[in-house]
Amino acid sequence: MYNFKYHKVNTIQEASNLLISCDDPKILAGGHTLIPTLKQRLSQPSDIIDISMIKDLNKIDLEDNKIIIGALCTHNDIASSIDVLSNIDSLSKLAQQIGDPQVRHRGTIGGSIANADPAADYPAAVIALDAKIYTSKSIYNSDDFFVEMFETAISPDEIIQKIEFTIPTASTYRKFRNPASGYAMAGVFIAKFDDIVRVAITGASSVVFRLRDLEDALSNNFTTSVLDNITIDSSDFNDDIHASSKYRGNLVKVLIEEAISDLI
Ligand SMILES: Cc1cc2nc3c(=O)[nH]c(=O)nc-3n(C[C@H](O)[C@H](O)[C@H](O)COP(=O)(O)OP(=O)(O)OC[C@H]3O[C@@H](n4cnc5c(N)ncnc54)[C@H](O)[C@@H]3O)c2cc1C
């Protein structure tokens, strides 16, 4: 690990000031992605800004048809929230399936979506549930947030504060876990709203994406038979030591079929 200055802040304003004034700062939340990166010397920030003590970023609120989750909520906070379970049970189950107990008790939803790992689970929920991401500078629609592998629309001096999920009429998340890490080899999130269906795929490609042809087909006719007329183009899918792109293509189709069956 390279040397850095450590700052523990109590407010968003303090963190924002440091993000502007320091040479090459990094935010620290749960540390389950950042600390391993530092230990492997893959990153050399001048300053670490620990936001874990900022109050109000670890609340889960239920308002009208929204669940609003603070960026510092851990995966375990989300998995064990009665409000999340009773309104978006798929999100609760998604959080339960992340990593292992240590990861779930330290890792945060804000850190996860800021990191934009292509195999992370929350991005599928953010996209399928058409979440809004509130930061210290702006509000992002889900479709504009994830840009590429490990890249989001936020700037380096921007802090994610909360994520607002729309409560669907029904939803489900199906994931094929990497047996070692728990990350998604592929994951499919389907959310049904009054008039539309949204389908998001994680783990298969360099960035989470929607299957719009399938969404249109399912919005008209919510049955597994729509898959007969849908082609999953896996030519650009991830191809690595864990699975070939062709395997992931097949996996996505199987998970979609299971997910549709969950909601019939
Ligand atoms: C063994 C292991 C297994 C895992 N398995 C899974 C899995 O199955 N599924 C899955 O989805 N994830 C998995 N993860 C990742 C885990 O969920 C991480 O906790 C998460 O990705 C990062 O959250 P964090 O709070 O630890 O962020 P940190 O490590 O503190 O930060 C990660 C990045 O986000 C930035 N950041 C953090 N918070 C904010 C914020 N509020 N605003 C702006 N930027 C911010 C940091 O600067 C850093 O660049 C696993 C991790 C490990 C170590």
Side-chain angles (χ1 to χ4, degrees), residues 19-33:
L19 284 169
I20 292 166
S21 63
C22 296
D23 278 351
D24 185 15
K26 267 270 176 212
I27 295 169
L28 175 71
H32 265 63
T33 295

Side-chain angles (χ1 to χ4, degrees), residues 176 178-181 184-185 203-204 237-248:
F176 189 85
N178 179 312
S181 67
M185 305 267 283
F237 278 10
N238 299 335
D239 194 291
D240 53 33
I241 53 165
H242 305 298
S244 66
S245 52
K246 196 172 165 198
Y247 181 85
R248 280 195 167 87

Side-chain angles (χ1 to χ4, degrees), residues 12 19 25-37 48-49 51 57 71-75 94 97-100 102-104 106-117 119-123 135 154-156 158-162 173 175 177-178 180-184:
I12 290 283
L19 284 169
K26 267 270 176 212
I27 295 169
L28 175 71
H32 265 63
T33 295
L34 183 60
I35 300 289
T37 314
I48 292 288
I49 302 166
I51 62 168
L57 295 191
L72 286 177
C73 288
T74 64
H75 315 323
L94 176 152
Q97 294 177 53
I98 293 177
D100 52 41
Q102 287 90 336
V103 173
R104 290 195 290 275
R106 290 295 304 172
T108 66
I109 186 169
S112 176
I113 67 166
N115 193 48
D117 190 309
D121 295 292
Y122 288 120
T135 74
I154 67 170
S155 54
E158 204 164 355
I159 304 162
I160 298 169
Q161 294 183 265
K162 59 187 179 182
Y173 181 58
K175 161 188 182 177
R177 282 169 66 95
N178 179 312
S181 67
Y183 276 104

